[in-house]
């Protein structure tokens, strides 16, 4: 009988997994189950170009739909079919329709959803950015003069603030506990980015949190009502009025459907170096995870398992997971896994910040070139841990510079392997 | 031999292709992409990889 690999999640991770399964020689069935009704599409433009100018819904989707490898044939795409439950011992999935689907191998690629700002106040008029529908809905509300409050200053918050400003909105960025992109970039460069955002017209509010969403009437809030959110109250009591609020305060892994199977779902799905999911008695031969939802050992820094929420992760992890799953299903030895080098980029007001490695784990940061206080004029920083270069970030530098610094990080080696010799 | 085409109106000089397939793609000292439009079949895997990692999907494999 033909065997079946089920892929849960039909975004970039699900697509790259399906492609890599074919490349790894899997000729039997592949079925991909996706919650969204759209085919896999590219998310980075959702807070950048597409938010600025999406065109019609059809044009927007065409602009971001991911091209599929020509070798990825015979894949059964079931879109708009979320998985609600998995029974890993019986090897069955339950879909929202109630249908049960048996599988031999499973790929977990259900990604993340935005976390929300959990404070009292009306819901209406508050946006998040994760799907193309989010972007289309938000774009319609961003007009010249619109007062926008962005909550959270990570990549998506900073990008949304920049895009809204470029559309003529008056934007306040409520940073919360840490500065613009401070976790990946470090304090000094983050301060430089804040200065740059301010020069471009973004009003940055540091060191204060949102404690309440204000309602239209201005006299208190009513969480259950249809009242529209009219602004935010900050931890020091200040009120910032707003026509539109964008929440960009991080994300939550979509793992509820995996509950009850004895997996470690503390933060995404725990995997080994080969992306095989760890069960109660060790790595499972028939279940792998890819993309943003996977928590896997960081071999390069040797600092334990973590999730890597970058665009390059779905492709990097699918290349490791697919051959491991095929080997597991065929009872063969799992190939030696690569140690992927994480990388990310962000574009704000036409400057590009690119990073490689794990700058967020640095103990010490050094300026390699330029001036981080003026990031738009070009700068590069090195991030060190245990005296070893584990990451590099370039700002507004040409790509060949980025390749140069990337090589320095690669040459610094893989901690897990350095320790082994 | 195989042929590729990079749509220059899409290419944003990210440089990811030059990491995946350095024999075919390289970034010059101005940070601008240079590439070989034709390449040996043996490099197909690498080029497919470059196509995957281009954030703006600017690289097209012809026939
Ligand atoms: C606005 C935005 C901008 C970004 N910009 C950048 C950038 O500039 N640079 C960068 O490096 N990275 C960026 N990223 C990150 C990058 O897009 C992600 O790392 C990437 O999308 C991860 O892909 P994934 O397939 O693992 O997860 P996702 O894209 O989250 O896909 C998971 C899919 O699974 C589906 N799903 C969830 N639960 C179920 C279920 N139970 N059953 C079936 N399907 C389910 C979801 O609907 C979704 O379609 C950005 C992300 C966003 C949202
Ligand atoms: S990866 Fe894409 S955008 Fe970047 S240089 Fe290559 S073709 Fe251009």
């Amino acid at each position: 009988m033909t065997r079946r690999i089920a892929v849960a999640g039909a975004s970039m991770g699900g697509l790259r997994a399906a492609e890599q399964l074919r490349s790894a020689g899997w000729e039997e069935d592949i079925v991909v189950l996706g919650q969204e009704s759209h085919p896999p599409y590219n998310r980075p433009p959702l807070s950048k170009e597409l938010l600025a100018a999406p065109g019609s819904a059809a044009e927007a989707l065409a602009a971001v739909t991911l091209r599929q490898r020509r070798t990825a044939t015979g894949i059964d795409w079931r879109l708009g079919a979320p998985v609600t439950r998995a029974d890993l011992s019986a090897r069955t999935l339950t879909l929202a329709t109630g249908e049960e689907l048996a599988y031999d191998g499973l790929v977990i690629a259900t990604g993340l959803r935005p976390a929300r700002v959990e404070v009292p106040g009306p819901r209406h008029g508050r946006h998040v950015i994760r799907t193309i529908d989010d972007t289309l809905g938000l774009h319609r509300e961003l007009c010249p003069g619109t007062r926008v409050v962005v909550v959270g200053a990570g990549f998506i918050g900073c990008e949304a603030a920049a895009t809204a400003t470029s559309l003529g909105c008056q934007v306040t960025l409520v940073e919360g506990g840490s500065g613009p992109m401070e976790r990946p970039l470090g304090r000094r460069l983050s301060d430089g980015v804040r200065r740059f955002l301010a020069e471009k017209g973004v009003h940055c509010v540091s060191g204060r949190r949102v404690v309440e969403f204000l309602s239209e009437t201005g006299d208190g809030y009513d969480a259950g009502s249809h009242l529209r959110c009219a602004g935010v109250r900050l931890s020091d009591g200040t009120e910032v009025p707003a026509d539109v609020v964008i929440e960009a305060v991080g994300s939550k892994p979509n793992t509820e459907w995996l509950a009850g199977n004895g997996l470690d779902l503390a933060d995404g799905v725990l995997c080994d170096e080969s992306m095989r999911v760890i069960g109660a008695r060790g790595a499972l031969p028939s279940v792998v995870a890819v993309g943003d939802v996977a928590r896997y050992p960081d071999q390069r820094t040797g600092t334990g398992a973590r999730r890597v929420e970058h665009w390059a992760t779905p492709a990097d992890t699918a290349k490791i997971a697919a051959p491991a799953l095929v080997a597991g299903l065929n009872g063969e030895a799992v190939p030696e896994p690569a140690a992927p080098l994480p990388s990310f980029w962000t574009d704000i007001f036409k400057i590009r910040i690119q990073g490689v490695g794990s700058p967020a784990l640095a103990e010490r940061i050094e300026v390699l070139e330029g001036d981080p206080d003026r990031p738009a004029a070009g700068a590069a920083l090195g991030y060190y841990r245990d005296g070893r270069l584990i990451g590099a970030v370039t700002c507004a530098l040409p790509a060949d510079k980025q390749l140069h610094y990337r090589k320095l990080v690669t040459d610094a080696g893989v901690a897990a392997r350095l320790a082994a010799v | 031999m195989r042929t590729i085409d990079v749509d220059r109106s899409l290419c944003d000089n990210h440089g990811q292709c030059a990491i995946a397939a350095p024999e075919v793609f390289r970034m010059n000292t101005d940070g601008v992409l240079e590439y070989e439009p034709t390449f040996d079949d043996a490099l197909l895997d690498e080029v497919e990889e470059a196509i995957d990692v281009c954030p703006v999907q600017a690289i097209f494999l012809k026939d």
Side-chain angles (χ1 to χ4, degrees):
Chain A
M1 226 182 79
T2 328
R3 294 174 299 173
R4 173 191 286 150
I5 293 179
V7 181
S11 179
M12 194 163 177
L15 169 61
R16 295 290 180 247
E19 292 174 335
Q20 290 297 330
L21 285 167
R22 287 287 182 247
S23 299
W26 182 259
E27 290 174 354
E28 297 174 69
D29 291 354
I30 299 177
V31 51
V32 188
L33 306 150
Q35 178 163 36
E36 293 180 77
S37 54
H38 307 299
Y41 58 88
N42 208 13
R43 296 195 197 276
L46 300 184
S47 47
K48 310 180 184 77
E49 307 88 302
L50 207 75
L51 181 58
S56 71
E59 285 163 346
L61 186 61
V64 292
T65 299
L66 290 166
R67 261 160 40 212
Q68 307 188 4
R69 281 195 180 193
R70 286 185 291 186
T71 44
T73 52
I75 293 163
D76 180 5
W77 292 92
R78 299 207 199 160
L79 303 175
V83 180
T84 52
R85 229 175 68 78
D87 183 336
L88 300 190
S89 49
R91 299 198 182 188
T92 54
L93 300 178
T94 310
L95 309 189
T97 54
E99 187 192 338
E100 284 226 334
L101 187 84
Y103 66 81
D104 298 280
L106 176 64
V107 180
I108 298 168
T110 43
L112 312 173
R113 64 177 177 276
R116 300 302 303 240
V117 181
E118 301 292 350
V119 302
R123 277 248 160 181
H124 191 54
R126 290 160 53 189
H127 296 256
V128 293
I129 312 176
R130 184 83 197 170
T131 67
I132 188 165
D133 303 300
D134 293 339
T135 294
L136 293 171
L138 175 58
H139 173 80
R140 280 195 290 274
E141 298 205 11
L142 299 179
C143 305
T146 304
R147 297 164 306 169
V148 177
V149 167
V150 180
V151 189
F155 290 118
I156 294 174
C158 290
E159 290 171 2
T163 305
T165 304
S166 69
L167 288 170
C169 304
Q170 294 172 29
V171 179
T172 303
L173 178 62
V174 180
E175 296 172 10
S178 58
M181 306 185 276
E182 184 174 333
R183 212 154 41 101
L185 303 185
R187 184 63 179 273
R188 182 148 175 218
L189 185 52
S190 171
D191 287 345
V193 170
R194 180 188 297 115
R195 207 165 297 130
F196 174 66
L197 288 169
E199 277 162 22
K200 292 286 182 181
V202 178
H203 178 230
C204 297
V205 175
S206 313
R208 278 165 288 170
R209 286 173 306 112
V210 169
V211 295
E212 183 188 332
F213 290 105
L214 305 170
S215 65
E216 245 164 358
T217 54
D219 49 1
Y221 53 84
D222 176 358
S225 83
H226 58 277
L227 285 181
R228 197 182 159 90
C229 177
V232 297
R233 191 189 315 282
L234 303 178
S235 37
D236 65 352
T238 323
E239 291 186 5
V240 186
D243 306 304
V244 173
V245 172
I246 303 172
E247 297 176 34
V249 292
S251 41
K252 289 200 169 126
N254 293 318
T255 52
E256 289 77 3
W257 61 282
L258 288 162
N261 287 292
L263 306 182
D264 179 344
L265 304 176
D267 177 26
V269 193
L270 183 65
C271 307
D272 70 1
E273 297 82 5
S274 301
M275 307 311 298
R276 294 180 303 177
V277 169
I278 311 246
R281 283 184 297 278
L284 303 169
S286 59
V287 187
V288 295
V290 300
D292 281 0
V293 76
R295 179 156 55 99
Y296 56 99
D298 182 345
Q299 298 191 64
R300 285 188 175 268
T301 58
T303 49
R306 62 195 180 95
R307 293 188 304 101
V308 182
E309 292 178 28
H310 301 321
W311 186 86
T313 308
D316 287 344
T317 51
K319 263 191 292 176
I320 299 169
L325 180 58
V326 173
L329 293 176
N330 291 338
E332 292 159 3
V334 170
E336 171 82 8
L341 181 65
S343 66
F344 61 85
W345 84 96
T346 177
D347 295 327
I348 39 174
F349 293 116
K350 301 204 158 56
I351 74 162
R352 174 162 296 153
I353 301 178
Q354 282 178 297
V356 287
S358 306
L361 301 175
E363 296 159 344
R364 180 166 59 86
I365 302 174
E366 269 177 26
V367 179
L368 303 176
E369 92 172 69
D371 178 1
D373 300 339
R374 291 171 46 247
L381 287 88
Y383 298 76
Y384 298 82
R385 188 181 176 97
D386 298 328
R388 210 165 49 83
L389 185 69
I390 58 159
V393 170
T394 57
C395 281
L397 289 178
D400 61 308
K401 290 276 190 174
Q402 162 66 13
L403 298 185
H404 166 72
Y405 291 116
R406 180 192 172 93
K407 186 165 183 310
L408 296 185
V409 177
T410 320
D411 290 349
V414 176
R417 297 192 182 148
L418 294 173
V421 290
Chain B
M1 293 299 273
R2 295 277 193 145
T3 311
I4 42 158
D5 190 23
V6 174
D7 182 338
R8 291 281 185 179
S9 71
L10 291 174
C11 172
D12 207 6
N13 296 308
H14 269 270
Q16 297 301 308
C17 52
I19 298 166
E23 287 95 332
V24 180
F25 305 91
R26 101 187 61 76
M27 307 310 290
N28 71 19
T29 48
D30 296 326
V32 175
L33 172 71
E34 288 171 358
Y35 68 100
E36 308 293 334
T38 58
F39 62 91
D40 198 90
D41 281 13
L43 293 171
L44 183 60
D45 268 0
E46 277 182 28
V47 171
E48 292 249 28
E49 173 102 29
I51 294 172
D52 281 359
V53 297
C54 171
V56 294
Q57 304 194 86
I59 310 168
F60 295 81
L61 191 59
K62 301 224 261 205
D63 49 71

